[in-house]
Amino acid sequence: QHEFLFSVKINEVFMHKAVDNIRNNPLLFIKLSGKRFFRQWLASNGNSFYVLRGTIGSYFLNKNYGVFFVKIFLVLLQLYIIVFAGIGVLFDFFADKKNLFSPVLLSIIYSSFISSIFMTSPRYQIPVLGLLFIYTALGSQLVFSKLSRRQGSL
């Protein structure tokens, strides 16, 4: 019982210190929140797998070219998802019938916002990734339909 009360008291002390730190350094907090936002979405989930935790140099030194190509594939897949989801969100935002308050978009924004305020990791994007695939599909469909129309006119 004493350990529990001690941990509750310690938690309160750290919470007050964290709030005081944010109050005293708001620009630093905003800067770190921006860094966390980009780390959440632009870092690859490849490091979640134990085999893929090494550095690029270590793969070449140990001649693990297969693992290196898997890691590069996952990074390219992540970039594809983010870029085409961004195109899909922009199209959805600038469309005649704006879906700004769509539950899908709001869930993505909420998750990004909460993760950027608190500690983040690329794995925190996984619950929202399914929703992001909706916008990735929309962005892919828009880009590839424009490309096919352009090639058809040539």
Side-chain angles (χ1 to χ4, degrees), residues 2-148:
H2 293 296
E3 288 179 26
F4 175 74
L5 291 175
F6 179 72
S7 66
V8 169
K9 188 65 175 168
I10 290 292
N11 193 22
E12 289 176 7
V13 168
F14 283 142
M15 179 63 80
H16 288 297
K17 286 194 177 286
V19 171
D20 288 341
N21 191 21
I22 293 170
R23 212 176 275 141
N24 294 335
N25 304 308
L27 293 177
L28 178 65
F29 176 72
I30 292 170
K31 179 182 171 185
L32 291 175
S33 294
K35 281 184 175 182
R36 286 186 207 112
F37 175 80
F38 286 107
R39 185 183 314 140
Q40 179 188 5
W41 289 109
L42 297 180
S44 173
N45 284 313
N47 289 338
S48 300
F49 302 108
Y50 180 75
V51 176
L52 301 176
R53 288 192 179 167
T55 62
I56 292 175
S58 70
Y59 296 134
F60 284 114
L61 286 175
N62 298 329
K63 298 182 180 179
N64 290 334
Y65 302 118
V67 176
F68 170 74
F69 287 121
V70 168
K71 190 165 188 161
I72 294 298
F73 173 74
L74 289 174
V75 168
L76 292 175
L77 182 64
Q78 179 74 18
L79 287 174
Y80 175 83
I81 291 169
I82 297 299
V83 167
F84 282 93
I87 292 169
V89 167
L90 287 175
F91 176 78
D92 193 30
F93 182 73
F94 290 113
D96 292 334
K97 185 179 177 185
K98 292 183 181 8
N99 280 332
L100 183 61
F101 298 109
S102 160
V104 174
L105 183 59
L106 287 177
S107 297
I108 295 169
I109 292 170
Y110 175 77
S111 172
S112 299
F113 179 73
I114 292 299
S115 293
S116 67
I117 289 176
F118 302 109
M119 190 177 131
T120 190
S121 172
R123 67 179 179 192
Y124 294 151
Q125 66 176 275
I126 292 173
V128 183
L129 213 50
L131 299 174
L132 201 65
F133 286 154
I134 295 169
Y135 285 109
T136 302
L138 177 63
S140 298
Q141 189 267 334
L142 290 168
V143 169
F144 292 129
S145 66
K146 283 192 183 252
L147 287 175
S148 66

